[in-house]
Amino acid sequence: MNTILVAGYKSFDVGVFSNKDPRLTIIKKAIERDLRRLFEEGVKWLVFSGNLGFEAWVLEVAFALKKDYDFQMATIFLFENVGENWNESNQELLARFKQVDFVKYAYPHYSNPGQLKEYNQFLIDNADGAYVFYDPENETNLKYLYKIIKINISFNIFIWDIIKAADLIFIRAFINYFIFAKARIPLC
């Protein structure tokens, strides 16, 4: 695999509303473990769509791993005006997505509902695999991309990893029990 598409839940989809959320430490460690494995298997490109949440967490970890591995990153935004109404904190994340090796926009602006399907197909057609954080039992708009990925998997074209929502439940329980038990501070 040479090129990996990164896609996953937005932060609010998994109940993470702050960069100080203690669960992010564990999530980012899991991401780091997975990225190291992918880079050691020869991955040379990570492709992002610029979504907040999982993609931003992977981006942050990937930037930190640049010193250890030779790889490049690309962000292919759906529209040129993405994030124009975002708050200052999210604007900073958007700027980070624009600091990668390659940045392009699929469309100047929204003009028809078929654009998302074409965009998703373009992303899949130009990747060798996907690093996906999605559970089909907890649907979001990511379901459209997930369905295309799943079709490609059935034809043995796509190799992918998935962090399931169940893993986050385990992570939450782990943090609650082992880290916060002494202080008796519940996370949820």
Side-chain angles (χ1 to χ4, degrees), residues 16-35:
V16 175
F17 300 105
S18 165
N19 286 334
K20 295 177 181 175
D21 190 312
R23 293 173 289 177
L24 284 179
T25 302
I26 305 295
I27 291 168
K28 289 177 185 175
K29 283 291 183 192
I31 290 169
E32 179 182 351
R33 176 203 63 208
D34 292 344
L35 289 182

Side-chain angles (χ1 to χ4, degrees), residues 19 28 48-52 55-67 71 73-77 86 88-103 105:
N19 286 334
K28 289 177 185 175
F48 300 91
S49 65
N51 284 321
L52 304 178
E55 286 188 42
W57 304 330
V58 173
L59 182 74
E60 180 183 335
V61 172
F63 269 119
L65 291 175
K66 283 289 245 180
K67 64 185 179 341
F71 67 95
M73 296 183 283
T75 304
I76 303 173
F77 294 101
W86 290 0
E88 186 177 330
S89 173
N90 291 345
Q91 289 288 341
E92 291 173 14
L93 290 171
L94 178 63
R96 194 74 167 138
F97 276 110
K98 293 179 180 180
Q99 294 172 351
V100 297
D101 304 291
F102 180 83
V103 177
Y105 303 90

